[in-house]
Amino acid sequence: MSMEMEWDDPMYRSTVALFERTAESMDLDPNIRRRLRYPDRAIITTFPVRMDDGRVESFHGYRVQHNNTRGPFKGGLRYSLDVNLGEVTALAMLMSVKCAVMGLPLGGAKGGVRVDPSKLSRAELQRLTRRYTTEIINDIGPESDIPAPDMGTNEQTMAWIMDTYSQMKGHAVPAVVTGKPVSVGGSLGRGQATGRGVVYMVMDAARHLGMDLGEKTTAAVQGFGNVGMHAARKLHKMGVKVVAVSDVYGAIQNPAGLDIRALKRWVNKHGKVAGFPESEPLDPAHLVELPVDVLIPAAIGGVINEKNVQKLRCRILAEGANGPVTAAANEVLRETRDVFVIPDVLANAGGVTVSYFEWVQGLQSFFWSAKEINQRLYQIMSKSFHEVIDVAARRKVDMRTAAMMHGIGRMEEAMKLRGLFP
Ligand code: GLU
């Protein structure tokens, strides 16, 4: 079987296509190019979990460590039925680039378990998480690989991983994961960081484009999870009209703007956005096609594809999700000046940046204020935004190519400086 077949997944093919095209346009060293195309290491585990009714179920888990030249492997852990080796590898590659674009001393990894977490009880999720952690216990650690939340996981998941790891080591090791609850060594602002960072990047993009971000500005947000909800909330707080929001169950709209705080209370109570008073139902497929100033896909990958890319009518596309635009759709976007793309490796990097702060705080047992965290987050993200803008202008390329070039360029430099062992 060829190596490629192992990784046969649309997200992997899309990400490798993007990587190859970037490598071509930046004239990447062929040796570095061959090495970065595949991950350093991929762990695949099948492990049993006892369900509440006494049955034993098998689950497939992954941890893919893409590159650690610039620092320990870093990246989230995803619980979703779509998880496979190809998807996790693509996401791990994006993490390497993301950390490099932000200038963080970290490499890239991603993990996942193929499971629908909404179908498991809390006790089952806890057993699954603890067993998955023991399967990869020798491969993670504060100096080697530091997981974090991603789709389908949250701070409770991280607390269980931290506890399992610490029990095995015989002492508390908070720095083994980030995105933990604050009471067990988490960082202030980590929960909001990804959504907040998306809005920081929208602010910089608007300034760059000479656009006002006020009550005349409209936004649509796909996904009302940890990323979409916090992004929508911050936009609403700034006075931007969030005219449409969706989640896995459906979509709603209100051309006068949705009250996001009230929507959050509604979702806490009813579990979904649908039915929210002062809104009308919207076909979820149409959300990305709305004529808005800012569109934030903050749910799953591949939602902007060949079928709908021509129908986009937004001015700024801020990628809260990882890989929301397929490679084919990206080719179309590169040709148009109408949509300003803030690529995932830049737009959603607020999460891993505050993860980095959390890791640093944990290692030093010295914690920062929320104000310090948000200021430093904005500083790092804004600096990276302008570096990417510079690359785009200098190399005459689109924002995604520029961000990829910037990140891969930093990895190339580090790989060359460190050289080969032995
Ligand atoms: N899962 C998030 C991402 O895709 C955060 C990763 C982290 O904090 O390590 O960027």
Side-chain angles (χ1 to χ4, degrees):
M1 188 162 77
S2 92
M3 284 286 268
E4 298 303 321
M5 272 172 73
E6 305 255 352
W7 277 276
D8 192 23
D9 168 84
M11 179 94 129
Y12 180 70
R13 282 197 299 274
S14 230
T15 309
V16 166
L18 174 65
F19 170 74
E20 292 290 358
R21 199 177 43 64
T22 310
E24 201 64 51
S25 38
M26 66 187 282
D27 216 3
L28 183 68
D29 183 317
N31 156 40
I32 304 278
R33 182 166 169 175
R34 274 193 303 275
R35 286 164 63 192
L36 289 180
R37 201 172 195 281
Y38 296 104
D40 281 2
R41 225 178 278 157
I43 301 149
I44 306 179
T45 155
T46 303
F47 59 91
V49 176
R50 189 169 303 279
M51 309 310 278
D52 291 344
D53 64 5
R55 273 178 312 119
V56 176
E57 284 254 22
S58 275
F59 291 91
H60 301 292
Y62 304 84
R63 183 72 185 169
V64 177
Q65 302 174 328
H66 177 254
N67 185 275
N68 64 350
T69 310
R70 292 172 39 86
F73 294 112
K74 184 85 191 81
L77 167 65
R78 175 174 284 205
Y79 287 175
S80 142
L81 284 177
D82 292 331
V83 161
N84 63 54
L85 182 62
E87 187 195 73
V88 179
T89 303
L91 293 165
M93 288 173 95
L94 290 175
M95 281 312 301
S96 295
V97 178
K98 195 184 300 185
C99 290
V101 169
M102 288 293 122
L104 307 176
L106 297 167
K110 197 71 136 208
V113 178
R114 195 176 309 143
V115 59
D116 177 354
S118 70
K119 297 268 161 28
L120 265 58
S121 70
R122 184 186 156 89
E124 287 167 340
L125 275 175
Q126 179 169 179
R127 288 195 291 273
L128 176 137
T129 303
R130 288 186 184 278
R131 180 61 194 246
Y132 168 78
T133 307
T134 52
E135 295 292 328
I136 59 164
I137 198 106
N138 294 320
D139 304 289
I140 59 171
E143 268 105 44
S144 52
D145 183 357
I146 308 132
D150 198 85
M151 203 187 286
T153 59
N154 53 31
E155 57 174 37
Q156 176 60 76
T157 324
M158 298 306 117
W160 289 329
I161 298 179
M162 180 266 193
D163 185 70
T164 307
Y165 188 87
S166 301
Q167 294 297 340
M168 301 287 205
K169 299 289 159 186
H171 54 92
V173 189
V176 65
V177 281
T178 59
K180 300 177 292 292
V182 171
S183 46
V184 291
S187 174
L188 294 172
R190 175 61 185 86
Q192 300 90 313
T194 313
R196 181 181 279 272
V198 172
V199 178
Y200 284 163
M201 292 296 85
V202 170
M203 283 158 56
D204 277 6
R207 209 167 295 136
H208 173 74
L209 298 169
M211 232 172 98
D212 252 355
L213 272 190
E215 58 214 31
K216 288 211 183 77
T217 318
T218 53
V221 182
Q222 182 187 55
F224 205 63
N226 184 49
V227 184
M229 191 273 287
H230 287 296
R233 236 171 114 170
K234 182 144 178 69
L235 285 173
H236 177 67
K237 236 168 134 178
M238 287 162 54
V240 169
K241 259 195 272 177
V242 181
V243 295
V245 164
S246 69
D247 60 20
V248 274
Y249 308 107
I252 55 167
Q253 65 175 337
N254 182 345
L258 296 156
D259 179 346
I260 302 296
R261 280 178 61 150
L263 177 60
K264 165 118 200 312
R265 284 195 297 273
W266 171 270
V267 171
N268 285 347
K269 200 156 158 213
H270 299 89
K272 53 183 173 201
V273 298
F276 177 61
E278 288 169 47
S279 78
E280 284 156 32
L282 167 74
D283 177 351
H286 286 157
L287 185 134
V288 298
E289 297 166 14
L290 291 176
V292 286
D293 297 305
V294 182
L295 173 65
I296 304 182
I300 53 172
V303 293
I304 295 167
N305 45 47
E306 276 158 291
K307 283 188 221 113
N308 60 12
V309 64
Q310 303 278 8
K311 298 187 192 148
L312 291 195
R313 281 183 291 165
C314 59
R315 180 68 188 105
I316 296 177
L317 174 68
E319 299 184 348
N322 288 311
V325 174
T326 64
N330 188 43
E331 291 308 308
V332 177
L333 283 179
R334 284 175 60 213
E335 298 304 319
T336 158
R337 298 253 156 245
D338 301 342
V339 180
F340 183 86
V341 178
I342 315 174
D344 46 10
V345 289
L346 191 57
N348 71 34
V352 73
T353 303
V354 177
S355 272
Y356 163 62
F357 297 162
E358 178 174 333
W359 178 65
V360 168
Q361 292 171 84
L363 291 176
Q364 301 185 343
S365 299
F366 179 75
F367 289 86
W368 314 346
S369 70
K371 196 170 158 205
E372 274 171 292
I373 283 158
N374 292 333
Q375 274 173 354
R376 286 182 173 161
L377 173 62
Y378 181 66
Q379 259 170 24
I380 290 186
M381 292 193 81
S382 193
K383 183 169 175 279
S384 307
F385 178 87
H386 290 101
E387 285 167 356
V388 173
I389 289 277
D390 284 349
V391 175
R394 226 173 339 107
R395 309 291 297 254
K396 298 195 175 37
V397 291
D398 60 287
M399 283 294 280
R400 191 189 311 282
T401 309
M404 293 293 292
M405 279 180 160
H406 191 42
I408 295 168
R410 278 188 169 152
M411 289 161 73
E412 178 184 26
E413 189 187 340
M415 287 167 86
K416 285 189 167 158
L417 282 168
R418 283 186 56 170
L420 273 195
F421 174 84

